[in-house]
Amino acid sequence: MKSQQSTQTMKPATAAKKLGVYLPATPAEFQEGVVSRAELNELQANPPAWLRALRESGPHPRPVVAAKLGVSIAGLARGGVTEALTTEQIDALKDERPEWLEKERATQAEVRKESARLKKRAAEKAEQAQQS
């Protein structure tokens, strides 16, 4: 007896997240349907014009906005940024350099520095454990 392979599908919100785009800005047919794994792979490999445009100019979802600004998603919220931003708006924020952005970037830098320190310490402990 042969088992039938079912096609993996996902909700548009999941697909948009995997593609790094803001769901409300996608075409209606994308928002209303389901996306198969094969369709997602095709979108990633050969992005249509609408996907290239969204990735280039936005609006971008919060994780992308946070990454482009060099802050955490929580840092965006503390700074009062709760909606999706376009690339132009992100660039304007970078140019304006508001106080909250500078503070959040410094906080993010400290977090990265501490993570690196802890990772190094764990590696050193693992190395010592192997030697003994």
Side-chain angles (χ1 to χ4, degrees), residues 5 9 13-14 17 26 31 33 35 62 70 78 88 90 93 96 100 108 114 119:
Q5 179 110 12
T9 60
T14 304
K17 188 174 182 179
T26 60
Q31 293 180 37
V35 180
R62 286 182 308 156
R78 286 190 293 269
E88 189 176 296
I90 293 168
L93 267 176
E96 291 170 18
W100 71 266
Q108 192 70 3
E114 180 65 7
K119 187 175 180 179

Side-chain angles (χ1 to χ4, degrees), residues 105-118:
R105 281 181 166 173
T107 300
Q108 192 70 3
E110 285 297 317
V111 167
R112 286 189 192 111
K113 189 174 163 183
E114 180 65 7
S115 292
R117 185 188 69 79
L118 292 174

Side-chain angles (χ1 to χ4, degrees), residues 55-84:
R55 285 178 170 167
E56 185 177 310
S57 59
H60 302 287
R62 286 182 308 156
V64 174
V65 172
K68 286 181 180 268
L69 290 173
V71 300
S72 66
I73 295 172
L76 282 180
R78 286 190 293 269
V81 178
T82 56
E83 71 284 343

